[in-house]
Amino acid sequence: MLKQKIKELFANDCSGHDYWHSIRVLNIAEKISKTEKCNNYIVMIAALLHDTDDIKIFETKDYKNARCIMSECHLTEDTIENVIEIIKEISFKGTETTSPKSVEGKIVQDADRLDAMGAIGIARAFAYGGSHNRAIHIPDCQPNINKDETEYRNNEGTTINHFYEKLLLIKDMMNTGCAKVIANRRDGYMREFLKEFYDEWNEQ
Ligand code: ADP
Ligand code: NI
């Protein structure tokens, strides 16, 4: 029932924030949660709902989408507040970073960040870039790694720059040991991709 509601909410998204992003975050959060002492139930709900009030997609106030879905599913007030707290804490704002207080929040944050890495992360970055009219690559356009939140959101830069501004920095931000291992592998794959990208770009 919760999954069905998420599916309906994200039905029209082509910017890398579709239903399947939520499902992947759910699956990887579940995997991480098996290696940590935590409340698995809260992890699963927070993972599924973590983007339901994302400011890039929705214009909701006070996490209205997440609150509505959870009350329609008859979750307790306690659970709802617990999950909202996690959703509040995990959104990545520019290059600044905060780690959630709860272990459940840390797990969902890791899972969300992992989905921005590796082959899927590459696919999502170009999907997002395309949907925001960003160029793939402009050789003399330098990355800006010290953006504040507004600059991060309004960035006119290229998708290749996004790798230096965010994607290659995520590996060192993981909270859990399990996520660190996965992040290392995915980071290596992105670096290989960039190397091949430049080799092809300069091929003559
Ligand atoms: P989250 O998944 O935590 O909401 P973001 O909203 O920052 O993270 O990004 C969502 C997806 O869109 C990620 O895969 C991210 O790499 C991609 N993305 C965000 N900003 C850009 C950008 N400026 N250029 C290319 N891809 C981006
Ligand atoms: Ni997300």
Side-chain angles (χ1 to χ4, degrees):
M1 181 158 168
L2 210 71
K3 282 189 186 170
Q4 187 52 37
K5 290 188 185 296
I6 301 286
K7 197 168 201 169
E8 287 160 16
L9 194 63
F10 289 101
N12 298 316
D13 187 86
C14 302
S15 72
H17 271 104
D18 58 4
Y19 165 71
W20 293 107
H21 165 61
S22 302
I23 296 297
R24 288 190 305 267
V25 172
L26 169 69
N27 290 338
I28 204 104
E30 227 187 329
K31 180 180 165 121
I32 300 169
S33 74
K34 288 184 183 135
T35 68
E36 298 284 327
K37 205 164 167 256
C38 65
N39 182 332
N40 188 264
Y41 174 71
I42 296 290
V43 170
M44 285 172 63
I45 297 166
L48 262 178
L49 293 175
H50 81 276
D51 269 339
T52 55
D53 295 275
D54 189 302
I55 49 165
K56 294 183 298 309
I57 325 170
F58 306 106
E59 287 174 2
T60 51
K61 288 228 155 55
D62 195 28
Y63 306 92
K64 189 166 167 280
N65 285 338
R67 286 183 193 281
C68 278
I69 292 175
M70 287 190 281
S71 31
E72 280 165 17
C73 292
H74 309 292
L75 304 191
T76 66
E77 262 322 297
D78 255 18
T79 301
I80 294 178
E81 288 315 316
N82 230 321
V83 170
I84 297 290
E85 201 44 47
I86 293 174
I87 298 176
K88 265 187 208 170
E89 283 184 318
I90 66 160
S91 53
F92 183 98
K93 298 180 179 66
T95 40
E96 115 210 3
T97 170
T98 51
S99 186
K101 287 187 281 301
S102 65
V103 62
E104 291 79 13
K106 288 183 166 69
I107 292 171
V108 178
Q109 185 180 60
D110 280 359
D112 190 29
R113 285 176 171 169
L114 282 172
D115 204 53
M117 302 182 73
I120 286 177
I122 295 170
R124 288 182 74 210
F126 288 103
Y128 185 100
S131 76
H132 287 74
N133 293 321
R134 290 192 177 132
I136 294 175
H137 179 50
I138 303 172
D140 49 11
C141 178
Q142 295 301 316
N144 170 7
I145 50 172
N146 292 310
K147 291 180 182 150
D148 61 26
E149 191 179 357
T150 319
E151 282 177 320
Y152 178 71
R153 292 301 169 208
N154 299 338
N155 174 28
E156 303 283 294
T158 66
T159 299
I160 285 292
N161 279 353
H162 184 64
F163 283 79
Y164 300 95
E165 292 161 354
K166 175 175 173 181
L167 305 183
L168 297 176
L169 312 176
I170 304 178
K171 168 172 75 75
D172 295 323
M173 296 178 184
M174 294 294 155
N175 303 299
T176 63
C178 174
K180 281 178 190 163
V181 174
I182 304 172
N184 254 320
R185 195 192 76 223
R186 294 189 183 192
D187 183 82
Y189 187 83
M190 289 191 296
R191 286 173 199 272
E192 243 175 73
F193 164 79
L194 287 171
K195 185 180 174 303
E196 173 69 17
F197 185 94
Y198 294 124
D199 283 353
E200 291 180 14
W201 192 277
N202 297 314
E203 194 142 43
Q204 38 193 306

